Amino acid sequence: MNLFHPRTFSTDWEVMVIDKLERCVEEDKLLAFAGYLRRALDLPVQIDWHALEFAMGINTSFDQFWNRIRNVTDRASQIVREFNLDLVPAGAHPVEEMFFASHVHVGTIHDEAGGIQLENRMLKYAPAFAALAANSPAGQKRRGEFKSYRVKNQAWGCTQAGSVRDPRVVQATWGSDANAKLFGHPTLEVRIIDCASSRRLLAEMATFIAAFVHHLGSTDGDAWLTPEDYRDCMTNRWAAARYGLQATFVWNGAARPVAEVLDEMLDACRDELAALGVKRSDLGLVEQMLQKRTCQADYVIRLAERYPDPYLLASTMTKLMRHWNVFDEYLETAPTLEPVALPDEDAILAEHLAAIGEDTYFYATREAMYYPGPAADEIIERMVQRGVIRREVVENRGILLSRTG
Amino acid sequence: MGALPIAARQWEGFIARRFLLSLPRPLLNEEENMDALLGKITTIARSSETPESASGPVSLEVKFKAACLLPQRTKVPEWLKDQTLTLKREVPDPREAGEPGDTVLLSPVESERWLAPLTVTPTAAYGKLPDTLQIRLRWWKEEKLPEFTVHSNGRSQTGQFTKQGEEGVASIETAPFWGFEPTLPVMFEVTVDKMKAACTVLPEREPYARKLLLADGERYRMENGWYLVEVSGRTNGGAIVSLQEKGRGVDHFREPQNLIQTTAEHGGHIDRLFIGWGGGQDKMSETAVSSAGIRREGGATRLQLDGTIDEGQNLRTSVVYTLYDHLPLLLLERSFQLGKGKEPDKDKKDEKPKEPIDDMRPFRFDIRPSWKVERQGRWGSRILNAEGNRLSVTRPGQVGEHIGSGRGWKLTDGWAIIEHPGRREHTLYLFDAQAPPKPSTFMGERSITFEPNWPHVPVRPEEAAGFTLALTAGEICGAGKEGGWVASRTPLPEGGVRCAIIGRLRDAVTPATATITLGGETRSVPLQAMLLPGVGGAVFATATFGEGQMDQPFDVNVDQIARRQSL
């Protein structure tokens, strides 16, 4: 079995462009830079919300990909600097509303049904990649509760918790954490990845993700999840967004630090890494991150502690991130962080309770951890029974929940 | 992975995100300056006390030229043009500070000495002239300090600063300017080159409205026995930036300190205009207004501000604030006027035909008051209003949550109370009960807003649209499905305390009586009806406790409208 042939991969890397009045450059002007780069590099460079989207074309090896990342970003830096602009790779802007991603495309796949089944299997693994990539702990003037506000907020609908899909009864869809995207490209796109601030990390991370997806595509696995399995996936997704590499996952029925899970995933795709021309030991940043349980968000959090004002933080991030390697350097001396315990049922209930104020429409609890209806409703029921919330059905407003204790 | 453009479904997501921009935004708000100086670095060097070889934080001397003020990126004060300023920064990584050509962003506190270099103390005095004015110059462009000039009563006096550290200080007596006891208000204006500062001496016991020059710019101040209200005319077509309860000394619209923020972002009241989906609001937010008249009449002080939102579209706005002398009540009347556009040239032969729809503008407007948020899980800042036959209590559960009328939330009787139970600070907004706006709220990390909006209306040239509201802020409130009220108190100059209740009740619960307790004394006072122009019916009651003190326990109950419990 091999769903991917030939084995290819790429990224769409969304990078902000910021001027010397610290404004994010608008899309209509970014079109000119994207067009210039498309012509100069023959790569499908695009634009997104206040971002240049560096689509890195089709790659078959780590070296090719790593060289391309450097070439594209060097060329892009040069053209934008002619206009006194900086490229700023970050998962979120501390003041503005945008989130940014480094989507990873894994190809080449022509079997859509196989792709959808792989999508289902990726529900288990996507949160681990989210933990590794977490890099949006400060955005929209919020900070500190999540290492990836982007994943927590589903990137405003652009990386949504996926559903278990039966290829026989589905239509093409877009925007989930991992998506068979044959309607646009012969790839499975892993969208849950926050924008990398480090070029080298992006190269390592995308290669790892591609190799792991190639590995899954060459192995049989159960593509059908039970409701309990699905709930665990959503718990892991929440933990990844909240704690990054400090998260502990529910893994095959037991608690397991996500760094160990990723370690195991790296081992599992050793052959596929080799097929992309790289050894596990070449992925030095990823290895170091797993050892220290430190992700890019931890670097931003350290900065944010010294810059409580969102504008000052944004200004500082602009000057640092444009160097592409500040996280790499930070990692050298960063302390090793401890894993955070797996949320127990009380913690899960507390997270749902935190979503409730007064006259809160019940659906807000769905957004706490993205549990599906029956699981989320069961938690509402428990909260009512414990007397911590009151449930009221109001004509025209539906089910409203209010904190009582 | 071909070189396809963004796929169709991606565009859907893209469009969805653009739509987010048109939703009421959390924008992306004490009297301190909220602006921050953004400069462009000319040189940057390790300061002499940090040797190149030292490890740990690096102390840098950054020289820069002022470029604009954040957050609005407005122009810098004239005295900073072409000046090279020097700042010290200590950073663990020199790259944080940047390089020549890069920006340097200062905090509001760091910016103060350059944005408001000239200060006078006091900026405002009451009842009589202060004996002396303390003048301070926190920054000057040259080593040699300049002269200052003080003007008042048509007289001028020039003086020299004394050097104190990097600053200049001076003291000047006020008596030589006046040979008699003046009728207040009067102003002492201090000038140094293009910088101005002022001390305004205001009447002590009389309601007034006046334009003042404060440390952070010009403000219009209105005052009666209950409130001190300050309005900024610099942005938003006029924004209430301070509403101080004089009795308790509480500013209901206080803002976080040393935080870069837009006007009224985290404390204050602004009005907004949206044309179509959202166009126009950017211009409205930048619209400065100036006084079109301040007058006292009929037991009230009235301040009118006018401004132009868009000259090309001939779109103007005016706002009238009326502060009643004897009640803690502020009336706000906002209008947006669309004038006739420029007539086409008569000899322009290729003018295209027009239909009435071509000149119509779809106006939608809202208000966006904001307050420091209380957020304690089980309780916190909330909005109370009658909704059909129930009392609606709305409190967002999470930071970043927006709740709007899309969820069926309604202001049935045109009133809403924003309650902060921990601080005992409550504001009642009253609107036209016949056509109330649609409620909406947003909770951010620092603030909570109340953003009721009036749906779109078609506006033709030479027409206007707008709204009227009344607001009262106090320390006790009550709310039920039959009505809501807020009570406050203020000390009287002759001694004693006056208490007031303002609310709106349904007919079913009127006439009603307020029971007011201050210290050990209780009074029962009937609530009286009043008609507020543009707002409709309201009720009020006042009671004077001749021996009352502000530090005595205060309690109010209104018949069938339950008093809310504070913490």
Side-chain angles (χ1 to χ4, degrees), chain A residues 377-395:
Chain A
D377 286 344
E378 186 271 326
I379 293 173
I380 291 175
E381 200 56 48
R382 267 194 284 152
M383 290 192 282
V384 171
Q385 283 169 7
R386 289 191 187 186
V388 293
I389 63 167
R390 185 184 68 243
R391 182 170 45 199
E392 187 182 6
V393 180
V394 177
E395 191 182 356

Side-chain angles (χ1 to χ4, degrees), chain A residues 267-305:
Chain A
D267 275 344
C269 65
R270 200 175 286 268
D271 292 345
E272 288 77 11
L273 283 171
L276 299 177
V278 71
K279 299 189 297 293
R280 179 179 168 154
S281 58
D282 296 327
L283 308 182
L285 287 173
V286 169
E287 290 282 9
Q288 214 170 357
M289 288 169 73
L290 299 187
Q291 282 164 20
K292 296 191 171 187
R293 299 182 199 93
T294 295
C295 61
Q296 297 167 95
D298 296 304
Y299 172 66
V300 177
I301 289 168
R302 291 281 288 261
L303 271 183
E305 285 166 0

Side-chain angles (χ1 to χ4, degrees), chain B residues 456-536:
Chain B
H456 287 93
V457 286
V459 178
R460 302 171 185 84
E462 299 193 313
E463 285 188 344
F467 58 87
T468 305
L469 61 85
L471 70 94
T472 183
E475 63 181 292
I476 298 174
C477 69
K481 63 185 180 183
E482 305 281 13
W485 53 268
V486 165
S488 51
R489 54 179 165 160
T490 195
L492 296 168
E494 60 273 24
V497 170
R498 180 166 291 151
C499 307
I501 297 110
I502 293 176
R504 176 173 281 167
L505 307 180
R506 284 185 185 168
D507 291 345
V509 291
T510 55
T513 302
T515 307
I516 308 168
T517 304
L518 185 67
E521 192 180 349
T522 298
R523 302 273 182 82
S524 289
V525 188
L527 285 159
Q528 300 175 58
M530 62 178 168
L531 189 63
L532 297 167
V535 171

Side-chain angles (χ1 to χ4, degrees), chain A residues 8-10 12 20-23 26-27 38 44 46-49 53 57-59 86 95-97 105 107 141-143 152 155-156 158 172-174 181 183-187 189 191 303 306-312 315-316 319-320 322-323 325-326 329 354-361 364 392 394 396-397 400 403 405, chain B residues 1-7 9-14 17-18 20-21 25-28 38 40 67-68 70-71 73 89 91-93 95-99 101-108 258-262 265-266 377-378 380 382 387 390-401 403 407-410 445-446 564:
Chain A
T8 60
F9 70 109
S10 191
D12 305 329
K20 296 298 184 199
L21 294 176
E22 303 200 344
R23 299 176 299 189
E26 295 281 351
E27 294 86 18
R38 285 175 86 119
Q46 305 159 13
I47 58 131
D48 208 307
W49 191 6
E53 187 170 339
I58 301 167
N59 302 277
D86 283 310
V95 177
E96 305 291 346
E97 297 191 31
H105 281 264
K141 301 186 180 177
R142 296 180 63 187
R143 59 177 67 191
K152 162 64 181 166
W156 305 134
C158 293
T173 188
W174 169 87
K181 206 172 173 182
F183 56 81
H185 311 279
T187 63
E189 184 183 18
R191 299 182 58 83
L303 271 183
R306 291 193 292 112
Y307 294 98
D309 189 302
Y311 289 90
L312 291 168
S315 180
T316 307
K319 286 174 216 152
L320 290 169
R322 64 185 177 180
H323 295 286
N325 62 352
V326 284
E329 294 172 7
I356 300 169
E358 289 171 273
D359 273 9
T360 300
Y361 188 55
E392 187 182 6
V394 177
N396 297 331
R397 291 185 68 179
L400 300 181
R403 293 281 291 267
Chain B
M1 277 174 302
L4 287 175
I6 299 173
R9 286 173 182 80
Q10 280 186 297
W11 275 109
E12 286 167 20
F14 188 77
R17 282 173 285 161
R18 295 310 303 255
L20 276 170
L21 292 175
R25 286 178 63 154
L27 290 176
L28 286 168
L38 182 135
K40 290 199 179 168
C68 68
L70 250 57
R73 295 181 177 82
R89 278 279 158 90
V91 288
D93 178 349
R95 290 176 298 184
E96 280 184 31
E99 303 162 2
D102 280 340
T103 56
V104 58
L105 180 60
L106 283 64
S107 71
N258 199 22
L259 184 77
I260 302 170
Q261 54 199 301
T262 56
E265 183 173 349
H266 299 299
R378 287 181 295 174
R382 47 170 79 104
E387 184 181 54
R390 71 190 284 267
L391 173 70
S392 166
V393 183
T394 302
R395 177 163 63 88
Q398 303 183 91
V399 172
E401 188 175 351
I403 301 172
R407 295 251 186 257
W409 186 18
K410 288 179 182 169
E445 206 162 50
R446 295 182 170 85
R564 300 283 300 178

